[in-house]
Amino acid sequence: MNLTDVARFLRERDCFTILLHAYPDGDTIGSGYALCYALRKLGKKANVVCAHPIPRSYFFITDSYEPMEFTTQTVVAADVASPKLLGALAEQYPSVDLCIDHHGTNTHYAQHSFIDADAASNAENILAVIEAMDLPIDTYIATCIYTGISTDTGCFKHSNTTPRCHVVAAMLMEAGADVELINQYMFDTKSRERIAIEKSILDSLEFYADGKIAFITVTKAMRDAAGIAEGELEGITSIPRQVEGVAIGCTIRETDKGDYKVSVRSRSTINAADICALFGGGGHPCAAGCNFACNLTDLKQQLSAACLHALECEQ
Amino acid sequence: MNLTDVARFLRERDCFTILLHAYPDGDTIGSGYALCYALRKLGKKANVVCAHPIPRSYFFITDSYEPMEFTTQTVVAADVASPKLLGALAEQYPSVDLCIDHHGTNTHYAQHSFIDADAASNAENILAVIEAMDLPIDTYIATCIYTGISTDTGCFKHSNTTPRCHVVAAMLMEAGADVELINQYMFDTKSRERIAIEKSILDSLEFYADGKIAFITVTKAMRDAAGIAEGELEGITSIPRQVEGVAIGCTIRETDKGDYKVSVRSRSTINAADICALFGGGGHPCAAGCNFACNLTDLKQQLSAACLHALECEQ
């Protein structure tokens, strides 16, 4: 479907249930709530649903939202690359009418799809859809869309940031998005539990190869002491690579089951996916992952040897 | 002077020495080097000088720079609100021909001034000057200007961010600014000393009033243990206020002399300047400071009492 088709489809249908992906982030939340609000403005019935609760930090989006009562006629997925990512909702909504997404890896599971993988955030695609429906961009929509762009680009820092992100952000600010407030809650607010786990993560920092390799470790005991669940460690994989001089940063996380998930982040000339492939994992050249079932001492020995080897091959 | 006057002035003169402010930040560095490069492109002699060394993290700006040999004929100050901010250079350059700045507090010390206080960063003013000189914005200039905007707005997060910042950023990306690289070095790289001091700062966190007041303390002993000098604590005052639920965040820093500097950061309805005024200090409603000569225990007792009182007055 092109934008005109999507706009026509949405105008023709009613009683929308908009699905977000599980463990919702700012892009799926901003995408889903913006679309829901736009459809309601057209006089339609629309709700947003997610397998997990929306984090409290998104109050500026969710506070004015109330679910409506109706029987679903149209199912739309926002920022959901595959049905697996719906979590517990996958069974409840086996058939999706329309998917609006920006992942090149989208599995085309929906009956109709609008996928623009050039968009840094799916919120940009939702914005294009709302504009194609000839709806004005008011403060609420601007706030949702800005939240999606800002969170998916790390506040315009990551490599996926495009000139278009900035052009759109300028327009959204003019439309009333309060960027100071949004970014304060997205990037500059930490729970006391998060502060506690970050402190113990910094204590766990280990260096190899004259500081070119850094490991951090998060054990279940550390999480329990801080009051942090397995899924609440967003963003920590960037910590070891932030240390000046580090070329390979590894994050070792113990799962609730007692095995280990490893994330490897590398700078430019070192291939993180190659390192993880040695242990049956994979990923991108600069960001990859693998799993270990052995004990922590053996894991560190094997992983540091693999990282050292990657460093030597580079030189 | 308006932009046309500034462009004519720069085209007529030669042998420029461009002054940055002491303890240089991304905006004065980006401003000064962009202007120097633009003037050299016009075939003129130009150098940049600063009372302090340019931090190594700005290598992507300074690596291609070599000072030229000439006798100064024209002195230009970039992002310098008053001669005091020149530090050791103030005596050497008692007379400034042109000042390009964005501080509303500029003391108009230069013979000619171009001051646009609506600009979030002075780099935007330098960009306007370069465009008024009809010079194309190439990758180097784009990199310098982007660095100024990004650092002065906290990567588009702070309240001074304007739609214009985003519009300009889009253009600078098109002109070749590598925003991932720049922001990685500006925001996502920490020295091991910085990591060590942040860890001990987190250890120092103390809460009062059910977590609505947070204190962090940096003693000289903590700095010595981490290998951090008194002036190298940039950005730490935001740490206590980042904790969820904190309305008043105080940073207590012991100076080399053994007395204490206190920074108070508050949310919306609480006046930080009023709290600091009780101890002979002052500042803005949300960011203020004061000094203490007493011991740390007495300081904390007095400061926490003042913060509690401010909280009670609010309720």
Side-chain angles (χ1 to χ4, degrees), chain A residues 87-105:
Chain A
L89 294 180
E91 263 186 59
Q92 205 179 334
Y93 299 95
S95 162
V96 175
D97 299 293
L98 171 65
C99 170
I100 304 173
D101 189 23
H102 76 125
H103 294 94
T105 54

Side-chain angles (χ1 to χ4, degrees), chain A residues 26-27 30-31 102 121-128 144-149:
Chain A
D27 196 22
S31 291
H102 76 125
S121 64
N122 190 50
E124 289 162 64
N125 292 335
I126 296 288
L127 175 68
C144 292
I145 304 296
Y146 181 91
T147 301
I149 298 176

Side-chain angles (χ1 to χ4, degrees), chain B residues 116-193:
Chain B
D116 180 355
D118 289 335
S121 64
N122 190 50
E124 290 161 63
N125 293 334
I126 295 288
L127 175 68
V129 166
I130 293 172
E131 285 176 333
M133 290 198 292
D134 287 326
L135 281 167
I137 307 305
D138 65 10
T139 300
Y140 184 83
I141 292 175
T143 299
C144 292
I145 304 296
Y146 181 90
T147 302
I149 297 175
S150 169
T151 52
D152 252 29
T153 60
C155 209
F156 309 95
K157 275 198 302 198
H158 299 334
S159 58
N160 63 339
T161 309
T162 63
R164 179 181 160 193
C165 295
H166 282 295
V167 170
V168 170
M171 184 274 284
L172 298 172
M173 287 188 77
E174 300 279 10
D178 183 343
V179 309
E180 188 192 13
L181 176 99
I182 297 169
N183 291 323
Q184 181 186 303
Y185 282 96
M186 295 299 99
F187 299 105
D188 286 338
T189 303
K190 294 178 180 180
S191 67
R192 284 169 76 160
E193 293 77 15

Side-chain angles (χ1 to χ4, degrees), chain B residues 4-268:
Chain B
T4 318
D5 297 335
V6 173
R8 191 186 313 121
F9 178 89
L10 293 171
R11 281 195 171 272
E12 282 170 4
R13 300 290 189 104
D14 201 352
C15 298
F16 295 89
T17 292
I18 299 166
L19 314 180
L20 311 186
H21 65 66
Y23 300 105
D25 61 11
D27 196 24
T28 196
I29 293 167
S31 292
Y33 281 85
L35 183 61
C36 179
Y37 178 88
L39 291 168
R40 287 182 180 186
K41 271 204 135 177
L42 286 173
K44 297 180 185 293
K45 294 195 171 79
N47 280 337
V48 177
V49 297
C50 184
H52 294 106
I54 309 297
R56 184 75 204 114
S57 51
Y58 293 92
F59 70 92
F60 53 85
I61 289 178
T62 53
D63 269 5
S64 59
Y65 172 87
E66 286 289 339
M68 298 172 90
E69 295 237 342
F70 59 84
T71 306
T72 303
Q73 289 171 13
T74 315
V75 178
V76 181
D79 197 40
V80 183
S82 107
K84 269 191 288 183
L85 301 173
L86 291 170
L89 293 180
E91 264 186 57
Q92 207 181 333
Y93 299 96
S95 164
V96 175
D97 297 294
L98 171 66
C99 170
I100 303 173
D101 188 24
H102 75 125
H103 293 94
T105 54
N106 190 289
T107 61
H108 294 271
Y109 58 90
Q111 213 188 324
H112 304 290
S113 298
F114 176 76
I115 296 153
D116 180 355
D118 289 335
S121 64
N122 190 50
E124 290 161 63
N125 293 334
I126 295 288
L127 175 68
V129 166
I130 293 172
E131 285 176 333
M133 290 198 292
D134 287 326
L135 281 167
I137 307 305
D138 65 10
T139 300
Y140 184 83
I141 292 175
T143 299
C144 292
I145 304 296
Y146 181 90
T147 302
I149 297 175
S150 169
T151 52
D152 252 29
T153 60
C155 209
F156 309 95
K157 275 198 302 198
H158 299 334
S159 58
N160 63 339
T161 309
T162 63
R164 179 181 160 193
C165 295
H166 282 295
V167 170
V168 170
M171 184 274 284
L172 298 172
M173 287 188 77
E174 300 279 10
D178 183 343
V179 309
E180 188 192 13
L181 176 99
I182 297 169
N183 291 323
Q184 181 186 303
Y185 282 96
M186 295 299 99
F187 299 105
D188 286 338
T189 303
K190 294 178 180 180
S191 67
R192 284 169 76 160
E193 293 77 15
R194 175 74 186 206
I195 300 249
I197 197 75
E198 284 191 8
K199 199 165 69 178
S200 69
I201 284 172
L202 292 181
D203 278 324
S204 81
L205 256 173
E206 291 168 282
F207 295 97
Y208 304 87
D210 285 334
K212 293 199 185 79
I213 300 168
F215 282 14
I216 58 171
T217 308
V218 190
T219 62
K220 189 174 175 312
M222 285 162 67
R223 285 196 281 107
D224 288 348
I228 287 274
E230 194 179 328
E232 294 178 331
L233 292 165
E234 204 186 328
I236 63 153
T237 54
S238 64
I239 295 176
R241 210 189 37 180
Q242 278 176 8
V243 184
E244 197 174 13
V246 168
I248 309 175
C250 299
T251 301
I252 303 164
R253 277 176 286 189
E254 186 182 4
T255 68
D256 285 339
K257 282 184 239 151
D259 48 10
Y260 294 92
K261 286 187 177 197
V262 169
S263 303
V264 179
R265 300 286 180 271
S266 64
R267 292 221 191 273
S268 55

